[in-house]
């Protein structure tokens, strides 16, 4: 039905918003003041939910209902930075938004938006890149996340160092 179709579009877009600000399901549910289970339901597009939940998403994300229900919606690339500015006076939102984002966010919206990987880098160099943003990740987490992006990231053995890999942007 039409409802199911819209619910599915909204679910996909809500998930895109959450991913584009680098929040886990739990952190997202906290800033929205709803249960984690409700976030899962909304994102999966399955069951009915009340308009209050959408209101919470709209007031936090600053996206409109027409954006949320548009099948071609794409969150802006700097949405997290924008929301940090917008919610500076809101301690609950700000404390979560100023924490370290999920690694996939850090890679997609910081590392790959920069020219840092235009040359091959070791994990420790990438680790330092994130530390400059105030985010500390474990080296293995970074390398595992990078290896899950074979269409974007090239992984090669280091020329001189044994058992060491270098990571670069796929050309």
């Amino acid at each position: 039905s039409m409802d199911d179709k819209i619910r599915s579009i909204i679910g996909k877009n809500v998930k895109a918003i959450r991913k584009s600000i680098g929040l886990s399901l739990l952190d997202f549910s906290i800033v929205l003041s709803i249960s984690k289970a409700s976030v899962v339901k909304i994102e999966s597009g399955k069951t009915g939910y009340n308009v209050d939940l959408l209101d919470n998403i709209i007031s936090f994300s600053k996206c409109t209902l027409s954006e949320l229900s548009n099948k071609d919606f794409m969150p802006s690339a700097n949405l997290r930075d924008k929301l940090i500015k917008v919610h500076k006076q809101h301690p609950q939102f700000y404390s979560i938004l100023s924490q370290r984002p999920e690694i996939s966010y850090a890679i997609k919206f910081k590392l790959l938006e920069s020219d840092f990987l235009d040359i091959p880098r070791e994990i420790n160099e990438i680790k330092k890149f994130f530390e400059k943003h105030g985010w500390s990740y474990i080296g293995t987490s970074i390398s595992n996340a990078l290896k899950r992006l074979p269409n974007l990231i090239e992984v090669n053995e280091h020329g001189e160092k044994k058992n060491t890999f270098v990571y670069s942007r796929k050309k």
Side-chain angles (χ1 to χ4, degrees):
S1 76
M2 193 61 181
D3 269 3
D4 290 343
K5 197 175 188 158
I6 287 175
R7 193 172 286 130
S8 148
I9 291 168
I10 289 175
K12 183 180 69 70
N13 290 339
V14 168
K15 185 174 190 169
I17 289 169
R18 178 173 67 80
K19 291 287 187 192
S20 76
I21 49 184
L23 294 183
S24 66
L25 282 164
L26 179 62
D27 283 343
F28 198 49
S29 73
I30 292 169
V31 295
L32 296 177
S33 307
I34 63 179
S35 72
K36 189 175 155 186
S38 295
V39 176
V40 172
K41 278 182 189 164
I42 293 169
E43 286 189 0
S44 68
K46 297 263 185 300
T47 55
Y49 42 80
N50 64 28
V51 179
D52 293 347
L53 290 189
L54 281 182
D55 257 358
N56 291 8
I57 292 167
I58 290 165
S59 72
F60 170 72
S61 70
K62 304 301 176 207
C63 295
T64 65
L65 183 57
S66 63
E67 285 175 319
L68 285 182
S69 48
N70 176 347
K71 68 177 176 46
D72 301 319
F73 170 74
M74 284 288 295
S76 65
N78 63 342
L79 184 59
R80 182 187 177 97
D81 298 331
K82 234 192 288 188
L83 292 179
I84 286 175
K85 283 191 191 93
V86 167
H87 294 305
K88 244 195 166 75
Q89 307 314 318
H90 196 299
Q92 182 195 13
F93 292 165
Y94 187 72
S95 69
I96 285 179
L97 285 170
S98 54
Q99 285 169 19
R100 181 189 80 175
E102 292 195 315
I103 185 84
S104 56
Y105 169 90
I107 291 170
K108 187 173 176 190
F109 293 99
K110 285 294 180 241
L111 189 61
L112 290 173
E113 289 296 314
S114 75
D115 56 10
F116 191 73
L117 287 186
D118 288 357
I119 61 169
R121 305 282 189 169
E122 291 179 41
I123 281 302
N124 282 340
E125 295 176 280
I126 298 171
K127 210 177 149 159
K128 286 191 181 92
F129 171 89
F130 289 134
E131 283 165 2
K132 284 191 185 117
H133 287 86
W135 307 331
S136 174
Y137 298 100
I138 299 166
T140 51
S141 302
I142 299 170
S143 65
N144 289 338
L146 290 170
K147 286 172 184 164
R148 286 194 299 266
L149 299 168
N151 52 335
L152 300 173
I153 304 289
E154 205 166 297
V155 183
N156 291 298
E157 287 185 29
H158 193 292
E160 292 105 54
K161 295 185 187 174
K162 266 199 190 315
N163 302 325
T164 303
F165 291 94
V166 290
Y167 302 82
S168 57
R169 179 190 308 275
K170 221 175 205 155
K171 290 179 174 53

